[in-house]
Amino acid sequence: MTPSGPILLAIESSCDDTSVAVLDGFEVLANVVHNQVMHEAFGGVVPELASRAHTEAILPTVKAALARAGKDFQDLDGIAVTQGPGLLGSLLVGHSFAKSLALSLDIPYVNVDHMEAHMLAHFLYESGVQEKPIPGFPYLCLTVSGGHTQLVQVNAWNDFTILGETQDDAVGEAFDKAAKLLSLPYPGGPIIDRLAQKGQPAFRFSQPNMPDLQFSYSGLKTSILRAMQKEVKEDPESLTERVSDWCASIQEALIAPLLQGLTLAASQTGIRRVALAGGVSANSHLRAEVQGLAQSLGWDLYLPPLSYTTDNAAMVGAAGQFAWAASQFAEMKDAAQPKRIVHG
Ligand code: KG4
Ligand code: ZN
């Protein structure tokens, strides 16, 4: 990667986080994430509230990112923005803002696919932080978030082959729904992760039988619910008194198919460069298990720093830098797209 490149302002607003980053090439000068906390009370993201909150947060977050990076609007060479997939109302806020700013500063902007950005976060670096290796192409990427569960062969920055994916719910969604069954707040993934560290995987759930490299989480969710109902009949306080054991059991059951899928994908493709991406890649059990697999199977493993696992604008900047280098500039008529924009 070039040590210095265009200065890009990157904007991410696809779901419930307003995030703005400033990048010099692939170096992250600032990455500000404004989390919307009001969704916690509803147990999930309320789209209308999310877009209203983005409207309020976008300008202060842009100003905060520029200030942290020590840059001004006039220093920007261009803008990278998430075009999709995501909630339309939320995307529109960031995308329209990016277009207006590009127009007023008379600089180009580039469109970024949110999921591709997650997978390209491995190319980011920060000054003063120990340099880590970046993956060469092709690499396998397990992309696990609140909306996606995919095994992807990343052939190039703009060439992605989906080897397998969930046929129903995403694994992050399953974490969040299981947490709700335990009366834990949204988003449940990080809380299950934390509580699981104090528990044992004492409860078992039936796993679905899926064909090669495909995943399914809706049946597993029902099987978790059934197991809870059965246990509560015998021990009414089980869900609170043994909450850590429930979390450890749920976490193990949700992660196991991912480990199997990743192992199979690596052996089928012969690719030994393996990466994780997306919010669920922050999960400590997943990270530890994949590290164990990498050691025993001889993979080169690329784990994103925790700050680049959940939604953030720095990853949008990484994808933006690739698009910029390829002169793939966007046009003013381009609109936000709630569905995946597939490359490759
Ligand atoms: O990538 P992300 O921030 O947003 C989407 O694009 O969906 O992923 C959010 C998801 C949520 O479902 C959240 O519960 C999950 O990532 N998550 C985790 C952890 N941290 C975030 N799941 C398990 N363990 C974690 N430590
Ligand atoms: Zn995401």
Side-chain angles (χ1 to χ4, degrees):
M1 290 312 108
T2 49
S4 90
I7 307 277
L8 294 189
L9 184 81
I11 299 177
E12 154 63 33
S13 73
S14 65
C15 191
D16 59 340
D17 296 312
T18 318
S19 181
V20 180
V22 181
L23 283 90
D24 181 350
F26 287 84
E27 181 183 353
V28 183
L29 304 180
N31 182 39
V32 179
V33 183
H34 175 269
N35 299 114
Q36 300 180 1
V37 285
M38 84 289 257
H39 304 289
E40 220 183 281
F42 299 93
V45 178
V46 184
E48 177 61 19
L49 293 183
S51 37
R52 281 193 221 177
H54 282 303
T55 315
E56 283 167 20
I58 188 85
L59 188 56
T61 313
V62 167
K63 286 184 173 166
L66 284 171
R68 202 168 292 178
K71 299 286 178 197
D72 209 331
F73 283 115
Q74 308 311 323
D75 298 321
L76 299 176
D77 294 309
I79 301 170
V81 63
T82 304
Q83 187 184 19
L87 301 170
L88 183 58
S90 290
L91 287 165
L92 269 173
V93 178
H95 200 259
S96 310
F97 186 93
K99 285 205 288 191
S100 319
L101 189 60
L103 203 59
S104 66
L105 295 174
D106 195 21
I107 54 176
Y109 85 100
V110 292
N111 282 313
V112 168
D113 175 287
H114 178 86
M115 296 312 298
E116 295 180 2
H118 270 300
M119 292 184 268
L120 297 170
H122 296 281
F123 293 87
L124 296 169
Y125 68 92
E126 289 165 50
S127 121
V129 175
Q130 199 192 348
E131 269 197 42
K132 49 181 184 44
I134 53 172
F137 298 113
Y139 62 94
L140 289 178
C141 193
L142 175 68
T143 310
V144 277
S145 71
H148 293 82
T149 305
Q150 291 181 326
L151 269 167
V152 182
Q153 183 175 319
V154 184
N155 303 309
W157 75 272
N158 59 350
D159 183 0
F160 302 83
T161 308
I162 297 173
L163 304 174
E165 62 188 332
T166 183
Q167 303 302 302
D168 39 57
D169 293 354
V171 61
E173 197 180 347
F175 265 103
D176 297 335
K177 286 180 178 167
K180 208 168 175 179
L181 296 176
L182 290 168
S183 307
L184 299 172
Y186 175 87
I191 301 165
I192 290 187
D193 188 353
R194 188 162 38 82
L195 291 174
Q197 287 168 24
K198 292 182 267 175
Q200 292 301 322
F203 303 103
R204 296 265 170 259
F205 320 107
S206 52
Q207 290 278 2
N209 243 335
M210 295 303 289
D212 273 13
L213 306 183
Q214 305 303 327
F215 305 98
S216 165
Y217 280 101
S218 75
L220 187 53
K221 199 182 61 203
T222 313
S223 133
I224 292 170
L225 174 65
R226 296 261 155 74
M228 286 177 175
Q229 289 167 334
K230 189 163 163 255
E231 188 65 20
V232 164
K233 271 192 197 148
E234 286 162 29
D235 174 6
E237 304 307 322
S238 175
L239 297 189
T240 45
E241 284 175 0
R242 300 190 63 191
V243 66
S244 300
D245 288 344
W246 280 106
C247 287
S249 311
I250 289 164
Q251 177 171 267
E252 193 178 86
L254 296 180
I255 297 298
L258 303 177
L259 301 172
Q260 270 172 26
L262 201 49
T263 310
L264 190 60
S267 85
Q268 281 182 357
T269 59
I271 297 174
R272 285 172 37 186
R273 283 185 286 263
V274 173
L276 300 186
V280 181
S281 71
N283 185 268
S284 53
H285 175 65
L286 173 62
R287 291 170 87 97
E289 291 293 310
V290 173
Q291 267 166 330
L293 285 174
Q295 253 181 3
S296 60
L297 299 173
W299 296 344
D300 294 333
L301 184 62
Y302 304 90
L303 293 178
L306 288 183
S307 51
Y308 303 143
T309 54
T310 47
D311 290 349
N312 67 89
M315 67 183 196
V316 174
Q321 290 290 358
F322 279 111
W324 186 280
S327 303
Q328 291 202 356
F329 303 113
E331 295 182 41
M332 277 300 145
K333 65 174 170 49
D334 295 346
Q337 289 187 12
K339 293 265 183 302
R340 182 103 200 260
I341 316 129
V342 184
H343 279 130

